[in-house]
Amino acid sequence: MSDARVLAAEAVESHVRAFFEGHSVEVVDHDLGPERREVVPGLRVLVVGPGPRSDSWAYVTAGCWAAMEKDGHGLEFVMTAHVRDQRFIELMAMIACYHCGGHQLDLEHSMPIGEPWVPGSICDHLLISLPYLHGPDLEHCPVPGGHARILWTLPVTTAEIEFRRRHGHEALEQLFDKAEIIPTDPFRASVA
């Protein structure tokens, strides 16, 4: 792995550790397998435990920016969940492979998971959104030679994705606000 990729991943890790000061942060090198490893070399998933900023778990990619940056700008992703589970590490690796493997994600995009977020959940897609639970201080991450934007991957339902296609992203987010969803609840009802 090139020095630039290592430095970028280290910058993301440092940013996440500083933002989540007082939380435990574990770095997981997820084995993607030989074909996928080439798509996102050196992918790490940062697993952030509950603490003073949040009582939830956060999972953050480190490696997408280095694989996909253009003119110094690129993305990383954060997911927030109710527990620590290997499933969420695997989902973050899936997001990284999807994004870096030909399906470039961005704000207001979505990704099908192909199965429930967790067993029994009706959430089977991920919506790429601003990291509302954490704010712009997590979203904006300086890296050597540029800037990474950390976007939220919010689990949503097929019906919510269909609603967004018909009425727009902002209309869906207004429904979330009106319903006062708990985004870390894998068993929440669909708002659409």
Side-chain angles (χ1 to χ4, degrees):
M1 188 164 59
S2 75
D3 289 344
R5 288 180 191 269
V6 171
L7 291 173
E10 288 174 351
V12 171
E13 181 181 339
S14 293
H15 176 76
V16 168
R17 285 183 185 280
F19 179 81
F20 286 106
E21 185 177 354
H23 295 247
S24 66
V25 178
E26 176 188 358
V27 179
V28 178
D29 292 315
H30 184 70
D31 185 7
L32 302 168
E35 291 176 19
R36 290 182 174 169
R37 195 175 306 122
E38 292 175 16
V39 173
V40 196
L43 175 67
R44 303 173 193 174
V45 177
L46 309 174
V47 180
V48 181
R53 275 201 181 267
S54 171
D55 61 357
S56 300
W57 290 80
Y59 299 82
V60 185
T61 62
C64 293
W65 181 91
M68 296 292 292
E69 67 90 9
K70 296 221 181 336
D71 300 321
H73 300 284
L75 300 178
E76 296 290 353
F77 302 94
V78 60
M79 177 182 288
T80 309
H82 60 299
V83 296
R84 188 205 191 287
D85 194 299
Q86 183 66 25
R87 166 72 174 153
F88 303 124
I89 295 168
E90 292 165 0
L91 277 172
M92 296 311 288
M94 182 190 302
I95 292 161
C97 287
Y98 188 86
H99 173 67
C100 298
H103 303 279
Q104 190 169 355
L105 295 168
D106 206 341
L107 188 62
E108 301 183 6
H109 288 186
S110 62
M111 177 188 122
I113 301 173
E115 60 190 19
W117 182 38
V118 299
S121 174
I122 60 172
C123 295
D124 59 0
H125 284 71
L126 297 172
L127 181 66
I128 309 303
S129 187
L130 294 174
Y132 293 115
L133 294 180
H134 306 298
D137 288 344
L138 178 65
E139 177 186 354
H140 301 289
C141 172
V143 296
H147 171 267
R149 191 172 186 196
I150 301 174
L151 296 178
W152 188 21
T153 57
L154 172 65
V156 297
T157 68
T158 299
E160 291 165 346
I161 291 297
E162 290 303 320
F163 178 90
R164 183 194 61 147
R165 286 185 181 131
R166 288 192 309 275
H167 304 284
H169 186 85
E170 184 62 33
L172 177 59
E173 288 196 344
Q174 288 174 0
L175 279 184
F176 290 150
D177 289 344
K178 184 177 178 182
E180 297 180 349
I181 69 165
I182 299 171
T184 58
D185 178 5
F187 307 110
R188 71 170 179 82
S190 182
V191 300

